[in-house]
Amino acid sequence: MGDRKYNEEKYLKLQVEDDEKNALICDQLADESLMWNPGEAVYWRKKAIEKIENCYGKGDFRNTAYYDKIVNDLMEKGSYKEAVKWNKKSKIIKVR
């Protein structure tokens, strides 16, 4: 079974009605995937960001922890330009 299919099944079993908790589940899947598949980690981190932004809105300070994590994942993957984009997004919110 592929990484994505396995993680999708795991997510479907664990998901709840609360987007904040679902973001944490996605975050956990990203953490578990990072060591062996950085691309998969980025996928789940983006899903976590989508969920947390649904909860708090796009400009909320609580989102920056997720943005900072995706920067690390993207660096591991080798996607430096995209990592800079997320880092800038996080810093703009932190400076406000």
Side-chain angles (χ1 to χ4, degrees), residues 1 16 29 43-44:
M1 179 183 315
V16 293
L29 289 169
Y43 173 82
W44 287 102

Side-chain angles (χ1 to χ4, degrees), residues 27 30-31 34 38-39 41-49 63-94:
D27 201 45
D31 289 343
L34 183 59
V42 168
Y43 173 82
W44 287 102
R45 200 75 70 193
K46 284 182 179 179
K47 284 188 83 75
I49 289 169
N63 300 347
T64 60
Y66 290 88
Y67 298 161
D68 294 343
K69 286 182 180 182
I70 200 169
V71 169
N72 179 56
D73 297 350
L74 288 163
M75 295 296 284
E76 287 289 324
K77 185 180 173 195
S79 299
Y80 304 114
K81 286 183 180 181
E82 194 173 355
V84 168
K85 177 187 92 169
W86 285 100
N87 191 43
K88 183 177 179 182
K89 191 173 187 174
S90 179
K91 285 188 178 213
I92 287 171
I93 293 170
K94 288 176 183 175

